[in-house]
């Protein structure tokens, strides 16, 4: 009976150690995801602030920071921050048709191309151990399945799944 309890106790310790290792791996991936998002927000805020400064947008610093935070809300965030930037520029009385067009082009080129196809997969995907194609496919599937929340949480879920599935088998 003493030997049997020793074997059970050893198995329990191994199971607890494996569980802790898996949970630590999951938490590590979630921390990397958050760090990647914060890095992307910092890069976006910097790029938008510089663009707004050179375009002569009033209140370029707060508007650049708000635009940078738009990545936290896919698709809707950039549209809302672009609308806010245009409204502030118009209300401040500094708007010209060329300036308004330049602001929209800045958002379209940076957010629509550079961020979505280059920076987001590189920063967020790489931080989670996903390649560019996996990142794009997972975000699109997340959007199809669960809309905006699916787009936000699909990458950490895919990273955790990519980590856990081999551990289980």
């Amino acid at each position: 009976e003493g030997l049997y309890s020793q074997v059970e106790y050893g198995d329990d310790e191994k199971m607890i150690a494996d569980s802790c290792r898996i949970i630590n791996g999951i938490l590590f991936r979630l921390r990397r995801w958050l760090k990647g998002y914060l890095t992307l927000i910092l890069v976006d805020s910097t790029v938008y602030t510089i663009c707004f400064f050179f375009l002569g947008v009033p209140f370029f610093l707060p508007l650049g920071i708000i635009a940078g935070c738009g990545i936290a809300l896919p698709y809707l965030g950039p549209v809302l921050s672009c609308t806010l930037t245009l409204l502030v520029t118009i209300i401040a009385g500094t708007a010209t048709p060329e300036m308004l067009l330049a602001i929209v082009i800045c958002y379209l080129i940076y957010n629509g191309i550079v961020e979505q196809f280059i920076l987001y997969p590189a920063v967020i995907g790489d931080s989670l151990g996903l390649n560019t194609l996996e990142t794009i496919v997972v975000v699109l599937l997340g959007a199809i399945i669960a809309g905006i929340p699916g787009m936000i949480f699909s990458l950490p879920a895919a990273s955790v799944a990519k980590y856990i599935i081999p551990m289980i088998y």
Side-chain angles (χ1 to χ4, degrees), residues 17 25 39 44 46 74-75 80 82 90 93 96 104-105 107 122 135 146 156 168:
T39 301
D44 285 1
T46 304
Y75 295 111
L80 292 175
C82 181
I90 291 169
T96 63
V104 171
I105 289 172
Y107 271 95
T135 302
I168 292 172

Side-chain angles (χ1 to χ4, degrees), residues 24-42 69 71-74 119-130 135 138-139 142 147-161:
N24 285 335
I26 291 169
L27 292 176
F28 173 75
R29 279 153 182 74
L30 294 176
R31 281 192 300 270
R32 297 276 313 260
W33 171 68
L34 184 59
K35 183 179 177 183
Y37 251 104
L38 293 175
T39 301
L40 200 54
I41 286 172
L42 181 64
C69 292
I71 187 70
L73 192 58
L119 289 178
Y120 192 84
V123 173
I124 306 292
D126 282 352
S127 71
L128 292 174
L130 302 171
T135 302
V138 165
V139 170
I148 290 176
M151 292 169 55
I152 295 171
F153 297 111
S154 61
L155 285 178
S159 176
V160 168

Side-chain angles (χ1 to χ4, degrees), residues 50-111:
I50 291 169
C51 287
F52 294 165
F53 173 77
F54 285 117
L55 290 174
V57 173
F59 308 107
F60 64 90
L61 182 60
L63 289 173
I65 293 170
I66 291 170
C69 292
I71 187 70
L73 192 58
Y75 295 111
L76 195 56
V79 169
L80 292 175
S81 64
C82 181
T83 303
L84 177 66
T85 304
L86 293 173
L87 286 174
V88 167
T89 305
I90 291 169
I91 291 170
T94 60
T96 63
E98 295 82 15
M99 179 188 282
L100 297 177
L101 181 63
I103 292 170
V104 171
I105 289 172
C106 174
Y107 271 95
L108 289 175
I109 290 174
Y110 182 72
N111 186 272

Side-chain angles (χ1 to χ4, degrees), residues 7-26:
V7 171
E8 258 187 33
Y9 183 70
D11 288 345
D12 286 345
E13 279 185 352
K14 184 181 180 308
M15 186 172 62
I16 289 170
D18 287 345
S19 299
C20 287
R21 188 171 40 84
I22 290 171
I23 290 170
N24 285 335
I26 291 169

Side-chain angles (χ1 to χ4, degrees), residues 1-10:
E1 190 174 287
L3 180 62
Y4 180 74
S5 64
Q6 281 287 344
V7 171
E8 258 187 33
Y9 183 70

